Amino acid sequence: MLFDTAEAEFGGVDVVVHAAGRMRLAPVAELDLAELDALHRTNIRGTFVVAQQAARRLRRGGALITFSTSVTGLALPGYGAYSASKGAVEALTMILARELRGRDVTVNAVAPGPTATDLFLRGKDEETVARLAAQPPLERLGTPDDIAEVVAFLASPAGHWINGQVVRANGGIV
């Protein structure tokens, strides 16, 4: 297992970033339940398993960073299943931060807004992308580097006072 290897090679685990995610968009009334199960298996169960291992193995001063989405605050039609799965990630993140009381380990979620990634761009025409890019007051899509900088801060000693939070890195949309 990855955690075993990290402990054997580096003497322990200091930072865990769990960014795996799956998105399937459809109205709630139309979403196939097999798609819902697959989405939940990745977004909820996958996050839970990684968080569980991180909780068992992170050293003092460590950090766990999960990924949510700013869509949870927008309530956009078609995003019901995806948003619900990421809402579960936010709840798990906040609870785990409290469960690790006394361990000196931080647990936070990053909730990107519209970010120019394959997951975001897949299936969207240019007009849709332009409309979504215009939403934030900064009037652009986020970049993977924008999100990576937030993650790096939360993983660093400078971000260690932030704990049990959802950081909405979205250019100001919610």
Side-chain angles (χ1 to χ4, degrees):
M1 167 170 246
L2 178 63
F3 285 90
D4 293 333
T5 302
E7 285 180 331
E9 294 289 322
F10 304 106
V13 178
D14 297 306
V15 175
V16 174
V17 178
H18 183 264
R22 179 185 190 106
M23 182 167 57
R24 175 67 167 102
L25 303 181
V28 171
E30 298 171 16
L31 184 68
D32 181 271
L33 291 180
E35 287 286 341
L36 177 68
D37 291 342
L39 188 142
H40 281 205
R41 185 164 179 83
T42 300
N43 294 359
I44 298 173
R45 187 175 193 279
T47 301
F48 189 95
V49 168
V50 170
Q52 184 179 57
Q53 289 300 310
R56 292 174 179 167
R57 298 173 183 240
L58 278 165
R59 293 191 280 201
R60 290 189 68 73
L64 168 61
I65 299 146
T66 62
F67 268 74
S68 181
T69 176
S70 286
V71 169
T72 59
L74 297 175
L76 298 173
Y79 283 82
Y82 178 67
S83 194
S85 74
K86 293 303 189 170
V89 168
E90 290 185 15
L92 174 65
T93 299
M94 290 183 279
I95 290 167
L96 186 55
R98 284 146 186 86
E99 288 180 354
L100 294 179
R101 171 183 288 279
R103 293 263 315 272
D104 193 30
V105 170
T106 62
V107 185
N108 294 291
V110 174
T115 305
T117 64
D118 289 340
L119 181 67
F120 174 79
L121 296 172
R122 187 178 310 126
K124 293 179 177 77
D125 59 36
E126 286 184 35
E127 180 182 322
T128 301
V129 170
R131 181 176 45 79
L132 293 170
Q135 281 183 330
L138 296 178
E139 297 184 318
R140 67 173 177 85
L141 292 179
T143 66
D145 284 347
D146 291 326
I147 306 309
E149 291 289 336
V150 174
V151 171
F153 174 74
L154 291 172
S156 76
H160 199 66
W161 187 237
I162 298 171
N163 189 28
Q165 302 299 311
V166 178
V167 179
R168 302 213 181 276
N170 59 27
I173 57 173
V174 287

